[in-house]
Amino acid sequence: DAGVTQSPTHLIKTRGQQVTLRCSPKSGHDTVSWYQQALGQGPQFIFQYYEEEERQRGNFPDRFSGHQFPNYSSELNVNALLLGDSALYLCASSLSGHPGNTIYFGEGSWLTVV
Amino acid sequence: AQSVTQLDSQVPVFEEAPVELRCNYSSSVSVYLFWYVQYPNQGLQLLLKYLSGSTLVESINGFEAEFNKSQTSFHLRKPSVHISDTAEYFCAVTPASGGSYIPTFGRGTSLIVHP
């Protein structure tokens, strides 16, 4: 059983460009969340998708947007990239219904903005 | 809102020595508590969690954590560490009610095990 898979693993973008990151959740999971992890910090919640709708959002600007597809996979889009957007972007999946359900993380996409 | 404080950014220890990684939290509601481990260049993996019941929870690789409600702490311990335990450890809390089941993470503690 494949866990959470993310692509690409590494990418370099120029300031002002746009980026799309992709995520496939663990089999059977219906909820996908995205996190930003800056170097030396803990993961910061960006948003969560369930049933193709954004269910909750963290304290991130509208430049960060996402989508969930009918097969539960998800995309994270970041527009007008800033140098400060350089970070590890983690996708996490879980089964909805109980806050204690285990969250599974992908290995992340390393984004460098130059 | 919840917050998590991991009191040590880095904990160096020799192999086979005991270790404790400290975690304190604040919350106005009941919470569930988690420890995650992140090995270099990897995502986070759940190490253990406290939902209810016994306040002492254990992982399969020898770690344990004790929930202390009065001290709002959830410290992680291991009686004898291995080189392979070198990693970043994150404490996290999730509200147990209210519908916003988004975990809040601490800044992490880097455990460095020396031979």
Side-chain angles (χ1 to χ4, degrees):
Chain A
D1 171 32
V4 180
T5 58
Q6 294 186 240
S7 64
T9 55
H10 295 82
L11 67 167
I12 300 173
K13 291 287 188 177
T14 303
R15 195 170 41 182
Q17 285 188 316
Q18 178 263 346
V19 68
T20 298
L21 308 179
R22 296 177 176 82
C23 171
S24 292
K26 180 177 172 61
S27 178
H29 285 183
D30 55 7
T31 302
V32 174
S33 302
W34 287 91
Y35 293 82
Q36 180 194 67
Q37 186 179 14
L39 209 58
Q41 304 293 320
Q44 298 293 313
F45 173 71
I46 302 175
F47 42 55
Q48 184 183 80
Y49 277 84
Y50 171 71
E51 291 189 341
E52 302 180 53
E53 297 285 332
E54 182 183 289
R55 184 158 67 175
Q56 292 190 69
R57 188 179 184 90
N59 188 26
F60 278 80
D62 292 344
R63 298 187 296 108
F64 289 77
S65 63
H67 190 79
Q68 184 180 35
F69 299 94
N71 66 352
Y72 305 115
S73 67
S74 177
E75 287 183 351
L76 164 65
N77 300 290
V78 187
N79 295 320
L81 285 167
L82 303 173
L83 297 180
D85 295 331
S86 296
L88 176 66
Y89 288 84
L90 294 167
C91 174
S93 75
S94 59
L95 188 60
S96 63
H98 191 278
N101 286 345
T102 298
I103 298 173
Y104 290 81
F105 285 83
E107 296 195 351
S109 294
W110 283 99
L111 171 64
T112 302
V113 183
V114 297
Chain B
Q2 296 74 45
S3 68
V4 177
T5 302
Q6 291 186 243
L7 297 165
D8 305 296
S9 60
Q10 205 172 78
V11 173
V13 64
F14 286 106
E15 193 173 18
E16 299 183 5
V19 70
E20 177 180 80
L21 307 183
R22 296 180 291 171
C23 172
N24 287 87
Y25 70 93
S26 71
S27 176
S28 57
V29 300
S30 295
V31 295
Y32 296 144
L33 295 146
F34 306 81
W35 275 98
Y36 288 85
V37 59
Q38 185 176 34
Y39 298 103
N41 300 314
Q42 294 189 24
L44 279 71
Q45 303 172 30
L46 180 68
L47 192 58
L48 47 74
K49 62 182 175 182
Y50 171 78
L51 303 183
S52 65
S54 172
T55 57
L56 185 66
V57 290
E58 298 176 352
S59 73
I60 59 174
N61 57 353
F63 283 94
E64 64 179 30
E66 185 158 21
F67 169 51
N68 188 320
K69 188 175 182 179
S70 62
Q71 297 187 4
T72 60
S73 68
F74 191 54
H75 299 333
L76 182 70
R77 303 183 184 94
K78 189 170 185 180
S80 176
V81 294
H82 303 288
I83 295 287
S84 59
D85 292 325
T86 295
E88 195 80 16
Y89 291 81
F90 294 94
C91 180
V93 298
T94 297
S97 61
S100 175
Y101 303 143
I102 303 301
T104 299
F105 288 85
R107 294 182 63 169
T109 297
S110 179
L111 175 62
I112 302 169
V113 181
H114 298 287

